[in-house]
Amino acid sequence: MSTIELATHHPIADIKDHLVFSSNGNVTACYKLRLPEVYTLSEKDFEDLHSCWFQALKSLPVGTVVHKQDVYIKKAYSGYNLPNGTFLARATREHFAGRVYMEHTSHLFFTLTKNRQLNNPKYVNPFKKIGEQVPKLLDENLDRFKAAVNDAVSFINNGRQIQVAPMAPEDILDRTHAYFNGFNDGFDCSTELSKSGIQIGKHHFDVLAINNEACFGETVKTSKVNERFTTDDFVFHQGQIDGLGLSLDENHIVNQIIYLDDKQKWRKILDKKVEELHKSANFGSQNKVVLKKIQRILDQINSDDSARVVRGHLNVLYWSSEAERLEHIAAKIKTEFKEMDMVPYYPNSEERKSYFLNSYACFSANFSNTDLYVTDLKHSLCLLLNNTNYRSDKQGILFNDRQHNIPVLKDVWDEQKKRIKARNFAIFAPTGEGKSFLANNILRQYFEMGVRLVIIDLGGSYTKFAQLYPEQYTVLRYEPGKSLGINPFFITKPHDVGAERLEELAVFLFELLASDLKVTKAQSVSLKKILSHYYAENDGAAHSLEHFYHFIRDARETLLQKLGIDPPYFNIPNFLHILSEYVDGGLYSFLFEVREDQSFRIEDKRLIIFELDEVRDNKEILSVMLKLIKTAIQRTIWRNKGEKGIILFDEFAKQLKFPNVLESVEFYYQAIRKQEGAIGIILQSINQLPNNSTSASILENTQVIYSLNNEKGYDELVKRLNLSSHDLNQLKSIRNDLTGERKYTEMFIKIGKESNIFRLEVPPEVFAAYLTDGPASEAIMAIYDKCGDMESAITQFLHAKGVTDPFIKNN
């Protein structure tokens, strides 16, 4: 048994920026990779990535070693970056804390060696130092090597699917330490290499490899069918060796090592090898198989002028804290290789040790011919892993990834406008698929981040979550004989009566007058003069619509003359006559009756919900409610251009039946550009949105799309939103699980040009807060009516039911 101590056998002699000068004389340029998220790539995307890799690497100098290393480590999700300042945020953080997932890091290494022929003996001691003069001997080639690598890296970065960035010296040292420390956390240990195996600290290691032509099947492609999501209706693709990546679900490293060789040299070698195999083909079926494969490689080289001969090595290094579990992991890896029509090689004791050591980036130039397959570069690049985990943005709305159901933050606001120019959003889902539940989840998180909300609702879907914030919300709904609970005229101090407030009140009053004639500039100026005079003359009074009405009625004989207003510009008798319905016991006077709590103002509330369900058939009341909505938007979302705000139209198709709603919404879409705000609409189907220029304008300014499962299909959604074929495949792959251990719904989210399938899994507390109907919702509301505190009501309900399962609507 041999033992390696990093303190006495450190492989690095020096580091300059991202260049490593290793103790054996090699120079390695080290980079980290940012790969596309898993499930985001189509068949064409995989082909484009393959082409990008080929164009980037084909011109590297002869003797360059390219090593792509993907490390997958099981981790427990900590949730340290999740918000925890509210009841539901804390519940979410606790729910996901400790959940196991695969952490993936990907690196790319380019190595220049003194041995340009790369003709190594079978076993090389990688720790043998060959003198400090080696880096100087390489100086004449180093500049050329660095320039070629820079060109390759720049080409990959220009492709935009993959981003390559230099590693920092401390990251290189940390990665080296982690590798030879066997990825043991919390303590240092030595690497013990013996005939029976490799053990580092608590971890036992083993390896399987693709190291000769006989390991390959008939063909290798850039991608293959993902059987998990593919149906008779559509085909979903994954990378050729993706089964060895995230989905393996074991601690492991995938090493793809490519030696860039001299084409002419290897053409001669392969010609000779074919001749030898022809002579011995009758002596064994294996010889015939190898002959066929080498002949195919040679034909490819001879027919394709751009072909680049390479030698390659692919291995999967895996480990476990239980030695007996290694066989189980090996079986899983062999199964994945079998599905690719490949047969991995299991190295013996000495080879196993060699494969482990040579899979360290600075030593990957040490493999011998017997450990390498020969092929062309295009063939070898089909074996790259080109995707990674879902990535969390620095801030955003919490969803779950499709791989491990762990939280993912997606920045659907995009303050820097890197992905989208307009942050307006739309949610599409048939009845019963959970669109209001999804909207609750999005809006609740926005609200807890300080965003103001104005929700126009027909179904009472948001009241329960709002009641968790008792001082910050108001629900404005029509109840016969009751005030709407809002006083547009209220001010706290004279300073409140500025130009903006006067404009708002003038617009509100003109709309309340319901004049069919267009308001002239003279009429608008006249009313604003009267309003300004009203506040000046009644400082400290209880301002209200009724008080303003009485003020004009009492001063009607002298008011216009006093303010220098010609009577044609303001018709006082008409004004008093029409508004009489809203004051002094008029038919709708109860709507604006001043409550004892005169301090109420829309501006004080960060969450305003208008429930229009009860008034959808009452044209007069609906008209007043729509005017109040406009006032609320002006006083909250429009009021402060630096403050974020969202306007949501739930059950938007039903609201389109209201007069002029579509035009009003289009106006909001235009005006929101000048504000720090967004507009959301919720539809059962995109066909509910009229196919006209107004709707086209709305859709054009909607750049965040959410779609839940739709059994009727997605053809119209694809057509009207210009979605890609892969977008459609993603939509068709949506699967919900409401019976398993982890219950979730899946949704398609497209942010600008980026799209993927996300999951929504929530803890019981959050599920209870979003429930809008059913026995569980009624039980929670009954407790709330008694205790007056929604957090306590939810907690008591869950405690009484012993609920740990978020799918509680059956209780």
Side-chain angles (χ1 to χ4, degrees), residues 213-220 293 296 340-343 379:
E213 298 81 10
C215 295
F216 290 101
E218 289 296 313
T219 58
V220 177
K293 291 176 181 177
R296 187 168 61 245
M340 293 184 280
D341 193 24
M342 297 167 71
V343 181
H379 179 280

Side-chain angles (χ1 to χ4, degrees), residues 200-219:
I200 310 175
K202 297 179 180 179
H203 296 158
H204 301 268
F205 287 76
D206 215 334
V207 62
L208 289 167
I210 301 296
N211 66 347
N212 64 78
E213 298 81 10
C215 295
F216 290 101
E218 289 296 313
T219 58

Side-chain angles (χ1 to χ4, degrees), residues 55-330:
Q55 295 298 327
L57 303 183
K58 70 175 185 178
S59 299
L60 287 170
V62 170
T64 301
V65 177
V66 180
H67 181 180
K68 184 172 182 292
Q69 185 175 78
D70 293 273
V71 180
Y72 301 87
I73 303 177
K74 280 190 177 182
K75 297 276 187 174
Y77 184 77
S78 67
Y80 71 91
N81 62 329
L82 299 185
N84 68 340
T86 67
F87 170 59
L88 297 186
R90 285 191 297 273
T92 301
R93 187 169 179 171
E94 291 170 7
H95 179 74
F96 290 105
R99 180 165 294 188
V100 175
Y101 72 102
M102 297 302 298
E103 178 188 78
H104 175 209
T105 55
S106 185
H107 292 88
L108 184 64
F109 306 99
F110 300 89
T111 298
L112 173 66
T113 69
K114 184 183 178 184
N115 176 15
R116 301 292 299 282
Q117 299 297 315
L118 293 168
N119 52 353
N120 299 301
K122 176 65 177 174
Y123 300 112
V124 176
N125 178 6
F127 292 98
K128 183 179 179 181
K129 297 181 180 181
I130 58 175
E132 298 195 8
Q133 76 278 13
V134 173
K136 294 180 181 179
L137 294 174
L138 292 172
D139 280 349
E140 60 190 51
N141 298 314
L142 191 55
D143 288 341
R144 188 164 66 94
F145 169 75
K146 287 164 61 178
V149 169
N150 287 338
D151 288 344
V153 168
S154 295
F155 191 91
I156 297 171
N157 281 331
N158 286 336
R160 293 180 182 162
Q161 288 272 32
I162 296 176
Q163 292 172 3
V164 188
M167 290 180 70
E170 57 270 24
D171 291 338
I172 297 170
L173 289 172
D174 288 346
R175 177 57 59 185
T176 299
H177 178 267
Y179 188 83
F180 287 105
N181 201 49
F183 301 96
N184 288 279
D185 290 329
F187 57 92
D188 289 335
C189 44
S190 58
T191 304
E192 297 180 359
L193 309 169
S194 66
K195 291 184 178 180
S196 59
I198 302 169
Q199 183 174 358
I200 310 175
K202 297 179 180 179
H203 296 158
H204 301 268
F205 287 76
D206 215 334
V207 62
L208 289 167
I210 301 296
N211 66 347
N212 64 78
E213 298 81 10
C215 295
F216 290 101
E218 289 296 313
T219 58
V220 177
K221 298 180 180 179
T222 58
S223 66
K224 65 177 185 177
V225 173
N226 184 321
E227 300 292 350
R228 180 182 175 190
F229 297 119
T230 296
T231 68
D232 294 339
D233 189 32
F234 72 101
V235 177
F236 206 89
H237 280 262
Q238 66 180 46
Q240 175 71 21
I241 68 165
D242 278 3
L244 297 175
L246 290 169
S247 59
L248 188 60
D249 204 28
E250 300 287 350
N251 292 318
H252 69 290
I253 301 173
V254 179
N255 292 291
Q256 169 74 340
I257 299 163
I258 300 172
Y259 288 17
L260 293 162
D261 284 317
D262 185 323
K263 180 177 180 177
Q264 300 308 321
K265 169 193 167 185
W266 275 95
R267 178 183 281 162
K268 294 177 183 177
I269 292 173
L270 290 175
D271 279 334
K272 185 176 181 181
K273 199 166 186 177
V274 167
E275 184 180 345
E276 292 172 351
L277 286 168
H278 268 300
K279 295 177 182 178
S280 60
N282 294 328
F283 292 96
S285 58
Q286 185 64 26
N287 286 346
K288 291 182 179 180
V289 172
V290 175
L291 170 62
K292 186 177 180 181
K293 291 176 181 177
I294 293 179
Q295 186 65 61
R296 187 168 61 245
I297 295 167
L298 193 57
D299 292 343
Q300 173 72 22
I301 294 169
N302 290 330
S303 63
D304 185 355
D305 290 337
S306 67
R308 180 76 190 263
V309 180
V310 300
R311 284 173 291 163
H313 178 95
L314 170 69
N315 71 51
V316 182
L317 184 68
Y318 51 97
W319 69 92
S320 173
S321 57
E322 303 169 7
E324 59 273 14
R325 182 169 170 75
L326 292 178
E327 285 190 23
H328 170 74
I329 300 174

Side-chain angles (χ1 to χ4, degrees), residues 428 652-653 656 662 681 683 685-692 695-696 698-699 720:
F428 300 98
F652 186 54
L656 291 178
L662 188 61
I681 57 175
L683 291 163
S685 166
I686 199 169
N687 286 335
Q688 294 178 319
L689 200 60
N691 201 348
N692 55 31
S695 297
I698 288 173
L699 291 177
R720 295 184 66 178

